[in-house]
Amino acid sequence: MSESTELLLQTAHRIFTDLSTVEQVNRLEQGEWAQVLWDALEQNGLANALLPMACGGSDLDLGDGVALLKVAGYHAAPVPLAEHWLAGLALVDAGQSLPGGALTIAPPDAASGPLPGTHKRVPWGRSLPVVALGGVDGQRRLRLYPRALVIKQGANLAGEPSDELNLAGSEFSLDVTSSIDAMPWLARGALMRSAQMAGALQRCLALASAYVLERKQFGRPLAAFQAIQQELALLAAEVAAVDAAVDAAADAAQYGHSVGDALFDIAVAKARASMAVESATRIAHQVHGAMGFTYEHRLHHYTKRLWSWRDDFGTEVYWNTLLGRKALEVGGEGLWPFITRLGSTANA
Amino acid sequence: MTERLLFPHERLPAVAETLRHQVRAFLREELAAGHFLPASDSWMNASPEFSRKLGRAGWLGMTWPRKYGGAERSSLERYVLTEELLSAGAPVGAHWISDRQTGPMLLRYGTEEQRLRFMPGIARGECFFAIGMSEPDAGSDLAAVRTRADRVDGGWRLNGRKIWSSFAHDAHCMIVLCRTSPKEDDRHAGLSQLLVELDSPGIQMRPILNLTGHHHFNEVVFDDVLVPDARVIGDIGGGWKQVVSELAYERSGPERFLSYYPVLASLLGPLAAQIGESDGPLTTAVGALVTQLATLRQMSLSVAGRLQLGASLEIEAAVVKDLGTRFERLLPEQARLIAAAAGMPLHEGEFGRLLAEAVLRAPSSTLRGGTNEILRGAIARGLGLR
Ligand SMILES: Cc1cc2nc3c(=O)[nH]c(=O)nc-3n(C[C@H](O)[C@H](O)[C@H](O)COP(=O)(O)OP(=O)(O)OC[C@H]3O[C@@H](n4cnc5c(N)ncnc54)[C@H](O)[C@@H]3O)c2cc1C
């Protein structure tokens, strides 16, 4: 990691610590858009960090972008950074400039049919311009809807806005051909979401460790009990596994020719991240006792996001099926060569 | 954010990939010639002949300096060799301990005379070592060892009893952890490591059959065995520190998650024949195993890459071993469920053979080299909880 990236990550930590506060994250659950935080991200070159300089970005490479998303996840940042980057990258890929301000996307679906219909679970669909990809591979179209028609406002389990939109009835300001195929688009989203999950998992571990050191029962800190120690070691292993899988996928994606080259690495990362959620959140909650079940304690900002995010951009079932199909296709002889190509630069 | 327990991605250098192809070609030939049958937990299978062939290829002690018989290659190359041998289910048990931990220990703590005397033989696959740590009353609590060495003229007189000594019956030497001064308040003080040649007078060995009826480990009794000063490893009284650093090598390698890989490989052919191209839950279940395996491999590689730079990664190694061996327990059980659900015969063919072998051997996976409960205790310490 370069010195300038290191600096960028430190800046991100500082901004999120100051502005992604408990109160701010709670206000998001009431539907409030965190304009102050978004402005701070823009002013510090973080909002567009992954985009080219020409678009006001920092031209960060994907590996560093993933590191930044981990920081955002660690702070439950109440802004759609990943969605904005996905939208921005799609526009840049299609040779377009960015309209300014935050963007969101209609969540990609590898099987997505022709444009456009109703889209469910669009993050911040009510308040941000929406970028959507439609058509079939080889003949994809990218559209930008400045103000999409909202059929129903909703929220994911974490209270993040997640709306149902009528794109067919919405006006679009841009309609261009796109070279992005559906699968790489989904994979890019999956990698970014996995990075946020890695950050949120790190935070669950940090909160749980701090809590068991502080909370006393039977005259001792909870941390003194072996049952608690063993559980936290299990939690730590899950956190570490997700972090490793995400880093490997980011590295493979960055050094492959395209995100598509790292499809299987990303499949591993998103599947592993989603698979970790059940036991990691169970342990984190269990050691927090009733306190962790309150609205007041911060733990739920992370666990609720993890329960939501594990379903985004493909569940573990989706990605494990992709990997299982590949394994069956290459067979017993081919599986090992397939596995050893993961994490290297030539695994297309 | 916690800086601990991160596993930065390690990319393999091109030389390692070249080596991978050489190893695969070698294994194909050996298999074609019928020189080995792929096994579950193949590092529990010893073939001195197979080890000598690896030695001739320059693949034992391959990271060591040339003057000690090594090839001065990187630990990532050794990593690749190891994962290829294990995934193929090759019989690597004879040299496993000497190549993995004895050599590195002698490099770190041994005298020049000891290195020159033992390492070239290890690298040729002609000199095998056993580990003499556990005792009847010292398992997880290793510092409780009672085997004792008393000072005599020119050396030490060794008395005591070691158990679970893997392949001691095929080995030429054993590194024995023993007490060289009485227990004090600091129970870790007063321990030392002695290199004992197993044909020395006063040694008795008795096989301990494991649950399969296989002679894998042994009880070794020392009765007034004389060990010369020149066979003390490192410092008298420094045994505990040395053993702990030895364990880091023992804990994060691919043998901590690949032991039952051959079961998965042998499942795929018959499974595909049974379920075809369907994308049902069984396909997903296979994918879940691939996901866990691929992740563990990245974690283990990350540790291997950094151990090479001299980092101290005891806690990371403990995480890999805990997570990896839990996966090892899971893999055969999942493979069995998948096969049964697909209507595959469970007790026939290559899959049936490897599965049966795995089911019987798997209980050892979460014990050997330090149990998972003990590992998790170490991880908790790393988290600052104790
Ligand atoms: C296949 C195999 C090969 C081996 N090869 C060798 C060898 O070559 N050389 C050698 O020296 N040793 C060898 N061992 C021994 C191995 O290192 C020990 O089995 C291991 O350290 C555990 O010791 P134990 O078996 O005495 O179990 P114990 O220490 O008696 O433990 C029994 C159970 O209690 C748990 N337990 C113990 N203490 C605690 C605690 N404080 N907190 C929570 N739980 C605890 C353990 O985790 C375990 O589940 C081998 C073992 C196996 C299975």
Side-chain angles (χ1 to χ4, degrees), chain A residues 74 202 229-230 232 234 240-241 251 255 320-321 323-325 332 335-336 339-340 343, chain B residues 1-2 6 9 11 20 24 84 87 261 265 279 283-284 287 291 295 326 373 376 386:
Chain A
Y74 188 84
Q202 287 278 1
Q229 295 168 5
Q230 297 272 311
L232 283 203
L234 292 173
D251 207 39
Y255 289 91
N320 280 333
T321 306
L323 288 159
R325 194 188 311 141
L335 181 62
W336 183 247
I339 287 175
T340 52
Chain B
M1 276 163 90
T2 25
L6 297 183
H9 183 233
R11 243 175 283 146
R20 185 190 301 288
R24 282 186 188 163
E84 290 298 324
S87 64
Y261 173 80
D279 270 355
T283 304
T284 313
T291 288
T295 302
R326 281 190 280 125
E373 289 72 22
R376 294 200 281 266
R386 49 189 291 235

mmCIF file of all heavy atoms in Angstrom, chain A residues 74 202 229-230 232 234 240-241 251 255 320-321 323-325 332 335-336 339-340 343, chain B residues 1-2 6 9 11 20 24 84 87 261 265 279 283-284 287 291 295 326 373 376 386:
data_model
loop_
_atom_site.group_PDB
_atom_site.id
_atom_site.type_symbol
_atom_site.label_atom_id
_atom_site.label_comp_id
_atom_site.label_asym_id
_atom_site.label_seq_id
_atom_site.Cartn_x
_atom_site.Cartn_y
_atom_site.Cartn_z
ATOM 1 N N TYR A 74 -16.402 -0.737 8.545
ATOM 2 C CA TYR A 74 -16.010 -0.726 9.951
ATOM 3 C C TYR A 74 -16.764 0.353 10.712
ATOM 4 O O TYR A 74 -16.975 0.245 11.914
ATOM 5 C CB TYR A 74 -14.500 -0.494 10.047
ATOM 6 C CG TYR A 74 -13.926 -0.644 11.433
ATOM 7 C CD1 TYR A 74 -13.588 -1.899 11.918
ATOM 8 C CD2 TYR A 74 -13.704 0.467 12.248
ATOM 9 C CE1 TYR A 74 -13.053 -2.049 13.186
ATOM 10 C CE2 TYR A 74 -13.168 0.326 13.512
ATOM 11 C CZ TYR A 74 -12.846 -0.935 13.982
ATOM 12 O OH TYR A 74 -12.316 -1.085 15.239
ATOM 13 N N GLN A 202 -14.848 -6.975 11.233
ATOM 14 C CA GLN A 202 -13.748 -6.510 12.085
ATOM 15 C C GLN A 202 -14.312 -5.727 13.268
ATOM 16 O O GLN A 202 -13.855 -5.853 14.403
ATOM 17 C CB GLN A 202 -12.796 -5.586 11.307
ATOM 18 C CG GLN A 202 -11.908 -6.274 10.290
ATOM 19 C CD GLN A 202 -10.667 -6.893 10.893
ATOM 20 O OE1 GLN A 202 -10.449 -6.828 12.107
ATOM 21 N NE2 GLN A 202 -9.839 -7.512 10.064
ATOM 22 N N GLN A 229 -13.562 -16.953 25.894
ATOM 23 C CA GLN A 229 -12.332 -16.877 25.092
ATOM 24 C C GLN A 229 -12.435 -17.754 23.850
ATOM 25 O O GLN A 229 -12.054 -17.365 22.747
ATOM 26 C CB GLN A 229 -11.125 -17.328 25.916
ATOM 27 C CG GLN A 229 -10.821 -16.417 27.096
ATOM 28 C CD GLN A 229 -9.808 -17.041 28.052
ATOM 29 O OE1 GLN A 229 -9.269 -18.119 27.786
ATOM 30 N NE2 GLN A 229 -9.563 -16.374 29.165
ATOM 31 N N GLN A 230 -12.953 -18.968 24.046
ATOM 32 C CA GLN A 230 -13.047 -19.898 22.921
ATOM 33 C C GLN A 230 -13.988 -19.352 21.843
ATOM 34 O O GLN A 230 -13.707 -19.436 20.651
ATOM 35 C CB GLN A 230 -13.551 -21.263 23.407
ATOM 36 C CG GLN A 230 -12.599 -21.946 24.387
ATOM 37 C CD GLN A 230 -11.533 -22.795 23.697
ATOM 38 O OE1 GLN A 230 -11.834 -23.600 22.843
ATOM 39 N NE2 GLN A 230 -10.280 -22.608 24.075
ATOM 40 N N LEU A 232 -14.718 -16.201 21.226
ATOM 41 C CA LEU A 232 -14.124 -15.066 20.520
ATOM 42 C C LEU A 232 -13.023 -15.510 19.569
ATOM 43 O O LEU A 232 -12.815 -14.904 18.517
ATOM 44 C CB LEU A 232 -13.599 -14.016 21.505
ATOM 45 C CG LEU A 232 -14.662 -13.130 22.139
ATOM 46 C CD1 LEU A 232 -14.068 -11.821 22.625
ATOM 47 C CD2 LEU A 232 -15.814 -12.832 21.199
ATOM 48 N N LEU A 234 -13.181 -18.233 17.859
ATOM 49 C CA LEU A 234 -13.934 -18.685 16.686
ATOM 50 C C LEU A 234 -14.385 -17.485 15.847
ATOM 51 O O LEU A 234 -14.313 -17.504 14.614
ATOM 52 C CB LEU A 234 -15.166 -19.498 17.111
ATOM 53 C CG LEU A 234 -14.890 -20.858 17.759
ATOM 54 C CD1 LEU A 234 -16.185 -21.475 18.288
ATOM 55 C CD2 LEU A 234 -14.237 -21.809 16.757
ATOM 56 N N ALA A 240 -10.995 -13.203 10.175
ATOM 57 C CA ALA A 240 -9.735 -13.308 9.435
ATOM 58 C C ALA A 240 -9.958 -13.971 8.081
ATOM 59 O O ALA A 240 -9.383 -13.557 7.064
ATOM 60 C CB ALA A 240 -8.716 -14.099 10.251
ATOM 61 N N ALA A 241 -10.797 -14.991 8.040
ATOM 62 C CA ALA A 241 -11.030 -15.710 6.785
ATOM 63 C C ALA A 241 -11.647 -14.782 5.743
ATOM 64 O O ALA A 241 -11.232 -14.759 4.580
ATOM 65 C CB ALA A 241 -11.938 -16.910 7.032
ATOM 66 N N ASP A 251 -6.957 -8.469 -5.126
ATOM 67 C CA ASP A 251 -5.653 -8.542 -5.781
ATOM 68 C C ASP A 251 -5.786 -9.208 -7.146
ATOM 69 O O ASP A 251 -5.231 -8.740 -8.136
ATOM 70 C CB ASP A 251 -4.703 -9.331 -4.884
ATOM 71 C CG ASP A 251 -3.260 -8.926 -5.110
ATOM 72 O OD1 ASP A 251 -3.020 -7.716 -5.290
ATOM 73 O OD2 ASP A 251 -2.393 -9.811 -5.120
ATOM 74 N N TYR A 255 -5.125 -7.292 -10.811
ATOM 75 C CA TYR A 255 -4.043 -7.653 -11.718
ATOM 76 C C TYR A 255 -4.489 -8.507 -12.881
ATOM 77 O O TYR A 255 -3.720 -8.779 -13.780
ATOM 78 C CB TYR A 255 -2.889 -8.282 -10.944
ATOM 79 C CG TYR A 255 -2.191 -7.236 -10.132
ATOM 80 C CD1 TYR A 255 -2.560 -6.971 -8.827
ATOM 81 C CD2 TYR A 255 -1.222 -6.430 -10.721
ATOM 82 C CE1 TYR A 255 -1.971 -5.963 -8.100
ATOM 83 C CE2 TYR A 255 -0.621 -5.410 -10.005
ATOM 84 C CZ TYR A 255 -0.994 -5.178 -8.691
ATOM 85 O OH TYR A 255 -0.423 -4.169 -7.984
ATOM 86 N N ASN A 320 -21.697 -20.040 -4.325
ATOM 87 C CA ASN A 320 -21.226 -21.421 -4.124
ATOM 88 C C ASN A 320 -21.737 -22.335 -5.234
ATOM 89 O O ASN A 320 -21.050 -23.283 -5.626
ATOM 90 C CB ASN A 320 -21.667 -21.953 -2.763
ATOM 91 C CG ASN A 320 -20.772 -21.456 -1.634
ATOM 92 O OD1 ASN A 320 -19.594 -21.147 -1.870
ATOM 93 N ND2 ASN A 320 -21.301 -21.370 -0.434
ATOM 94 N N THR A 321 -22.923 -22.048 -5.740
ATOM 95 C CA THR A 321 -23.437 -22.849 -6.848
ATOM 96 C C THR A 321 -22.566 -22.657 -8.086
ATOM 97 O O THR A 321 -22.244 -23.619 -8.793
ATOM 98 C CB THR A 321 -24.904 -22.477 -7.156
ATOM 99 O OG1 THR A 321 -25.660 -22.581 -5.948
ATOM 100 C CG2 THR A 321 -25.499 -23.400 -8.204
ATOM 101 N N LEU A 323 -19.445 -21.923 -8.100
ATOM 102 C CA LEU A 323 -18.185 -22.639 -7.861
ATOM 103 C C LEU A 323 -18.388 -24.150 -7.933
ATOM 104 O O LEU A 323 -17.537 -24.878 -8.459
ATOM 105 C CB LEU A 323 -17.605 -22.248 -6.499
ATOM 106 C CG LEU A 323 -17.033 -20.829 -6.449
ATOM 107 C CD1 LEU A 323 -16.956 -20.320 -5.015
ATOM 108 C CD2 LEU A 323 -15.657 -20.797 -7.100
ATOM 109 N N GLY A 324 -19.505 -24.619 -7.398
ATOM 110 C CA GLY A 324 -19.784 -26.046 -7.435
ATOM 111 C C GLY A 324 -19.956 -26.543 -8.864
ATOM 112 O O GLY A 324 -19.476 -27.613 -9.232
ATOM 113 N N ARG A 325 -20.627 -25.728 -9.666
ATOM 114 C CA ARG A 325 -20.819 -26.105 -11.073
ATOM 115 C C ARG A 325 -19.460 -26.202 -11.765
ATOM 116 O O ARG A 325 -19.191 -27.130 -12.505
ATOM 117 C CB ARG A 325 -21.691 -25.042 -11.757
ATOM 118 C CG ARG A 325 -22.241 -25.473 -13.101
ATOM 119 C CD ARG A 325 -22.919 -24.305 -13.803
ATOM 120 N NE ARG A 325 -23.851 -23.606 -12.943
ATOM 121 C CZ ARG A 325 -23.998 -22.279 -12.929
ATOM 122 N NH1 ARG A 325 -23.239 -21.503 -13.693
ATOM 123 N NH2 ARG A 325 -24.870 -21.717 -12.123
ATOM 124 N N GLY A 332 -12.564 -34.270 -10.853
ATOM 125 C CA GLY A 332 -11.556 -34.577 -9.842
ATOM 126 C C GLY A 332 -10.140 -34.239 -10.281
ATOM 127 O O GLY A 332 -9.319 -33.797 -9.475
ATOM 128 N N LEU A 335 -9.947 -30.119 -10.542
ATOM 129 C CA LEU A 335 -10.286 -29.240 -9.419
ATOM 130 C C LEU A 335 -9.042 -28.600 -8.807
ATOM 131 O O LEU A 335 -9.011 -27.403 -8.531
ATOM 132 C CB LEU A 335 -11.068 -29.995 -8.345
ATOM 133 C CG LEU A 335 -11.480 -29.126 -7.152
ATOM 134 C CD1 LEU A 335 -12.409 -27.991 -7.586
ATOM 135 C CD2 LEU A 335 -12.136 -29.957 -6.055
ATOM 136 N N TRP A 336 -8.008 -29.415 -8.599
ATOM 137 C CA TRP A 336 -6.831 -28.860 -7.941
ATOM 138 C C TRP A 336 -6.169 -27.776 -8.796
ATOM 139 O O TRP A 336 -5.878 -26.678 -8.290
ATOM 140 C CB TRP A 336 -5.864 -29.988 -7.551
ATOM 141 C CG TRP A 336 -4.697 -29.448 -6.816
ATOM 142 C CD1 TRP A 336 -3.408 -29.419 -7.233
ATOM 143 C CD2 TRP A 336 -4.726 -28.787 -5.539
ATOM 144 N NE1 TRP A 336 -2.628 -28.778 -6.304
ATOM 145 C CE2 TRP A 336 -3.406 -28.388 -5.264
ATOM 146 C CE3 TRP A 336 -5.738 -28.489 -4.628
ATOM 147 C CZ2 TRP A 336 -3.069 -27.714 -4.095
ATOM 148 C CZ3 TRP A 336 -5.408 -27.817 -3.474
ATOM 149 C CH2 TRP A 336 -4.085 -27.439 -3.208
ATOM 150 N N ILE A 339 -8.206 -24.705 -8.330
ATOM 151 C CA ILE A 339 -8.025 -24.029 -7.037
ATOM 152 C C ILE A 339 -6.689 -23.298 -6.973
ATOM 153 O O ILE A 339 -6.590 -22.196 -6.446
ATOM 154 C CB ILE A 339 -8.162 -25.052 -5.887
ATOM 155 C CG1 ILE A 339 -9.645 -25.432 -5.734
ATOM 156 C CG2 ILE A 339 -7.628 -24.489 -4.568
ATOM 157 C CD1 ILE A 339 -9.912 -26.520 -4.735
ATOM 158 N N THR A 340 -5.660 -23.896 -7.537
ATOM 159 C CA THR A 340 -4.344 -23.248 -7.436
ATOM 160 C C THR A 340 -4.203 -22.076 -8.405
ATOM 161 O O THR A 340 -3.257 -21.306 -8.275
ATOM 162 C CB THR A 340 -3.200 -24.254 -7.689
ATOM 163 O OG1 THR A 340 -3.436 -24.949 -8.913
ATOM 164 C CG2 THR A 340 -3.114 -25.244 -6.542
ATOM 165 N N GLY A 343 -6.419 -16.644 -7.001
ATOM 166 C CA GLY A 343 -5.467 -15.786 -6.305
ATOM 167 C C GLY A 343 -4.222 -15.509 -7.123
ATOM 168 O O GLY A 343 -3.341 -14.784 -6.703
ATOM 169 N N MET B 1 -8.941 0.287 13.507
ATOM 170 C CA MET B 1 -9.160 -1.119 13.157
ATOM 171 C C MET B 1 -8.021 -1.966 13.679
ATOM 172 O O MET B 1 -6.887 -1.530 13.732
ATOM 173 C CB MET B 1 -9.215 -1.263 11.628
ATOM 174 C CG MET B 1 -10.589 -0.958 11.072
ATOM 175 S SD MET B 1 -10.574 -0.643 9.299
ATOM 176 C CE MET B 1 -10.827 -2.267 8.635
ATOM 177 N N THR B 2 -8.323 -3.196 14.027
ATOM 178 C CA THR B 2 -7.288 -4.093 14.535
ATOM 179 C C THR B 2 -6.277 -4.381 13.434
ATOM 180 O O THR B 2 -6.634 -4.706 12.318
ATOM 181 C CB THR B 2 -7.892 -5.444 14.964
ATOM 182 O OG1 THR B 2 -9.088 -5.629 14.236
ATOM 183 C CG2 THR B 2 -8.137 -5.494 16.447
ATOM 184 N N LEU B 6 -4.440 -10.072 10.273
ATOM 185 C CA LEU B 6 -4.725 -9.792 8.876
ATOM 186 C C LEU B 6 -3.882 -10.755 8.041
ATOM 187 O O LEU B 6 -2.813 -11.185 8.463
ATOM 188 C CB LEU B 6 -4.395 -8.338 8.540
ATOM 189 C CG LEU B 6 -5.236 -7.317 9.312
ATOM 190 C CD1 LEU B 6 -4.910 -5.904 8.873
ATOM 191 C CD2 LEU B 6 -6.725 -7.588 9.141
ATOM 192 N N HIS B 9 -2.739 -10.644 0.899
ATOM 193 C CA HIS B 9 -2.636 -11.622 -0.182
ATOM 194 C C HIS B 9 -1.192 -11.801 -0.648
ATOM 195 O O HIS B 9 -0.467 -10.834 -0.831
ATOM 196 C CB HIS B 9 -3.488 -11.153 -1.366
ATOM 197 C CG HIS B 9 -3.492 -12.123 -2.496
ATOM 198 N ND1 HIS B 9 -3.172 -11.769 -3.777
ATOM 199 C CD2 HIS B 9 -3.762 -13.442 -2.522
ATOM 200 C CE1 HIS B 9 -3.261 -12.839 -4.549
ATOM 201 N NE2 HIS B 9 -3.616 -13.873 -3.814
ATOM 202 N N ARG B 11 1.071 -13.272 -3.584
ATOM 203 C CA ARG B 11 1.046 -13.785 -4.957
ATOM 204 C C ARG B 11 2.263 -14.688 -5.172
ATOM 205 O O ARG B 11 3.356 -14.346 -4.764
ATOM 206 C CB ARG B 11 1.103 -12.631 -5.954
ATOM 207 C CG ARG B 11 -0.150 -12.578 -6.806
ATOM 208 C CD ARG B 11 -0.139 -11.371 -7.694
ATOM 209 N NE ARG B 11 -0.470 -10.166 -6.939
ATOM 210 C CZ ARG B 11 0.061 -8.975 -7.206
ATOM 211 N NH1 ARG B 11 0.963 -8.830 -8.143
ATOM 212 N NH2 ARG B 11 -0.312 -7.923 -6.499
ATOM 213 N N ARG B 20 5.674 -26.089 -9.726
ATOM 214 C CA ARG B 20 4.397 -26.800 -9.617
ATOM 215 C C ARG B 20 4.236 -27.785 -10.786
ATOM 216 O O ARG B 20 3.855 -28.937 -10.600
ATOM 217 C CB ARG B 20 3.245 -25.794 -9.617
ATOM 218 C CG ARG B 20 1.876 -26.427 -9.384
ATOM 219 C CD ARG B 20 0.742 -25.442 -9.623
ATOM 220 N NE ARG B 20 0.768 -24.245 -8.795
ATOM 221 C CZ ARG B 20 0.487 -24.210 -7.490
ATOM 222 N NH1 ARG B 20 0.184 -25.319 -6.867
ATOM 223 N NH2 ARG B 20 0.518 -23.077 -6.840
ATOM 224 N N ARG B 24 3.964 -31.825 -10.609
ATOM 225 C CA ARG B 24 2.813 -32.550 -11.168
ATOM 226 C C ARG B 24 3.259 -33.633 -12.137
ATOM 227 O O ARG B 24 2.709 -34.744 -12.134
ATOM 228 C CB ARG B 24 1.857 -31.580 -11.865
ATOM 229 C CG ARG B 24 1.016 -30.832 -10.856
ATOM 230 C CD ARG B 24 -0.042 -29.966 -11.499
ATOM 231 N NE ARG B 24 -0.654 -29.147 -10.445
ATOM 232 C CZ ARG B 24 -1.379 -28.067 -10.639
ATOM 233 N NH1 ARG B 24 -1.615 -27.643 -11.869
ATOM 234 N NH2 ARG B 24 -1.878 -27.398 -9.617
ATOM 235 N N GLU B 84 1.140 -29.591 -3.540
ATOM 236 C CA GLU B 84 0.969 -30.536 -4.644
ATOM 237 C C GLU B 84 1.039 -31.975 -4.132
ATOM 238 O O GLU B 84 0.250 -32.826 -4.532
ATOM 239 C CB GLU B 84 2.038 -30.300 -5.722
ATOM 240 C CG GLU B 84 1.848 -29.000 -6.499
ATOM 241 C CD GLU B 84 0.533 -28.934 -7.272
ATOM 242 O OE1 GLU B 84 0.088 -29.982 -7.801
ATOM 243 O OE2 GLU B 84 -0.074 -27.845 -7.335
ATOM 244 N N SER B 87 -2.226 -32.733 -2.014
ATOM 245 C CA SER B 87 -3.470 -32.814 -2.773
ATOM 246 C C SER B 87 -3.488 -34.088 -3.617
ATOM 247 O O SER B 87 -4.549 -34.606 -3.931
ATOM 248 C CB SER B 87 -3.661 -31.573 -3.646
ATOM 249 O OG SER B 87 -2.635 -31.509 -4.612
ATOM 250 N N TYR B 261 -8.390 -33.692 1.240
ATOM 251 C CA TYR B 261 -8.739 -33.202 -0.094
ATOM 252 C C TYR B 261 -9.019 -34.338 -1.085
ATOM 253 O O TYR B 261 -9.971 -34.232 -1.883
ATOM 254 C CB TYR B 261 -7.639 -32.271 -0.641
ATOM 255 C CG TYR B 261 -7.892 -31.906 -2.070
ATOM 256 C CD1 TYR B 261 -8.810 -30.903 -2.385
ATOM 257 C CD2 TYR B 261 -7.287 -32.601 -3.116
ATOM 258 C CE1 TYR B 261 -9.102 -30.608 -3.701
ATOM 259 C CE2 TYR B 261 -7.577 -32.308 -4.428
ATOM 260 C CZ TYR B 261 -8.487 -31.307 -4.724
ATOM 261 O OH TYR B 261 -8.793 -31.031 -6.026
ATOM 262 N N ALA B 265 -11.870 -34.623 -4.292
ATOM 263 C CA ALA B 265 -11.544 -34.851 -5.703
ATOM 264 C C ALA B 265 -12.219 -36.117 -6.219
ATOM 265 O O ALA B 265 -12.765 -36.136 -7.320
ATOM 266 C CB ALA B 265 -10.025 -34.924 -5.883
ATOM 267 N N ASP B 279 -28.178 -27.571 -10.992
ATOM 268 C CA ASP B 279 -27.660 -26.548 -10.087
ATOM 269 C C ASP B 279 -28.348 -26.635 -8.730
ATOM 270 O O ASP B 279 -28.653 -25.631 -8.123
ATOM 271 C CB ASP B 279 -27.900 -25.157 -10.684
ATOM 272 C CG ASP B 279 -26.724 -24.747 -11.549
ATOM 273 O OD1 ASP B 279 -25.727 -25.497 -11.579
ATOM 274 O OD2 ASP B 279 -26.811 -23.702 -12.187
ATOM 275 N N THR B 283 -24.811 -29.249 -5.730
ATOM 276 C CA THR B 283 -23.801 -28.436 -6.414
ATOM 277 C C THR B 283 -23.353 -27.301 -5.488
ATOM 278 O O THR B 283 -22.159 -27.006 -5.371
ATOM 279 C CB THR B 283 -24.396 -27.868 -7.715
ATOM 280 O OG1 THR B 283 -24.865 -28.970 -8.502
ATOM 281 C CG2 THR B 283 -23.375 -27.084 -8.503
ATOM 282 N N THR B 284 -24.312 -26.691 -4.830
ATOM 283 C CA THR B 284 -24.004 -25.604 -3.893
ATOM 284 C C THR B 284 -23.119 -26.114 -2.750
ATOM 285 O O THR B 284 -22.169 -25.438 -2.345
ATOM 286 C CB THR B 284 -25.307 -25.027 -3.299
ATOM 287 O OG1 THR B 284 -26.223 -24.798 -4.367
ATOM 288 C CG2 THR B 284 -25.044 -23.740 -2.559
ATOM 289 N N GLY B 287 -19.674 -26.415 -3.858
ATOM 290 C CA GLY B 287 -19.096 -25.072 -3.951
ATOM 291 C C GLY B 287 -18.693 -24.521 -2.590
ATOM 292 O O GLY B 287 -17.661 -23.860 -2.458
ATOM 293 N N THR B 291 -15.114 -23.023 -1.593
ATOM 294 C CA THR B 291 -14.952 -21.683 -1.022
ATOM 295 C C THR B 291 -14.089 -21.718 0.242
ATOM 296 O O THR B 291 -13.155 -20.926 0.406
ATOM 297 C CB THR B 291 -16.344 -21.089 -0.690
ATOM 298 O OG1 THR B 291 -16.989 -20.765 -1.928
ATOM 299 C CG2 THR B 291 -16.233 -19.847 0.156
ATOM 300 N N THR B 295 -10.179 -20.274 0.556
ATOM 301 C CA THR B 295 -9.887 -19.226 1.537
ATOM 302 C C THR B 295 -8.755 -19.653 2.472
ATOM 303 O O THR B 295 -7.826 -18.887 2.725
ATOM 304 C CB THR B 295 -11.152 -18.902 2.362
ATOM 305 O OG1 THR B 295 -12.183 -18.504 1.466
ATOM 306 C CG2 THR B 295 -10.883 -17.797 3.351
ATOM 307 N N ARG B 326 -10.712 -27.678 11.545
ATOM 308 C CA ARG B 326 -12.174 -27.818 11.652
ATOM 309 C C ARG B 326 -12.746 -28.113 10.267
ATOM 310 O O ARG B 326 -13.668 -28.913 10.117
ATOM 311 C CB ARG B 326 -12.803 -26.556 12.268
ATOM 312 C CG ARG B 326 -12.637 -26.526 13.784
ATOM 313 C CD ARG B 326 -13.442 -25.421 14.436
ATOM 314 N NE ARG B 326 -12.789 -24.129 14.329
ATOM 315 C CZ ARG B 326 -13.353 -23.041 13.816
ATOM 316 N NH1 ARG B 326 -14.585 -23.084 13.333
ATOM 317 N NH2 ARG B 326 -12.685 -21.910 13.766
ATOM 318 N N GLU B 373 -8.632 -26.533 21.171
ATOM 319 C CA GLU B 373 -8.962 -25.758 22.377
ATOM 320 C C GLU B 373 -7.742 -24.962 22.824
ATOM 321 O O GLU B 373 -7.848 -23.789 23.202
ATOM 322 C CB GLU B 373 -9.429 -26.693 23.503
ATOM 323 C CG GLU B 373 -10.801 -27.317 23.277
ATOM 324 C CD GLU B 373 -10.828 -28.400 22.190
ATOM 325 O OE1 GLU B 373 -9.755 -28.975 21.880
ATOM 326 O OE2 GLU B 373 -11.909 -28.655 21.643
ATOM 327 N N ARG B 376 -7.136 -22.113 20.396
ATOM 328 C CA ARG B 376 -8.056 -20.990 20.596
ATOM 329 C C ARG B 376 -7.674 -20.194 21.841
ATOM 330 O O ARG B 376 -7.896 -18.982 21.897
ATOM 331 C CB ARG B 376 -9.499 -21.496 20.654
ATOM 332 C CG ARG B 376 -9.950 -22.076 19.316
ATOM 333 C CD ARG B 376 -11.453 -22.140 19.185
ATOM 334 N NE ARG B 376 -12.045 -23.261 19.889
ATOM 335 C CZ ARG B 376 -12.324 -24.445 19.333
ATOM 336 N NH1 ARG B 376 -12.047 -24.668 18.057
ATOM 337 N NH2 ARG B 376 -12.874 -25.408 20.041
ATOM 338 N N ARG B 386 -6.519 -12.549 27.513
ATOM 339 C CA ARG B 386 -5.911 -13.229 28.670
ATOM 340 C C ARG B 386 -4.420 -12.968 28.708
ATOM 341 O O ARG B 386 -3.891 -12.347 27.795
ATOM 342 C CB ARG B 386 -6.181 -14.739 28.657
ATOM 343 C CG ARG B 386 -5.892 -15.445 27.331
ATOM 344 C CD ARG B 386 -6.382 -16.864 27.352
ATOM 345 N NE ARG B 386 -5.578 -17.662 28.262
ATOM 346 C CZ ARG B 386 -4.940 -18.784 27.928
ATOM 347 N NH1 ARG B 386 -5.003 -19.234 26.697
ATOM 348 N NH2 ARG B 386 -4.246 -19.456 28.813
#
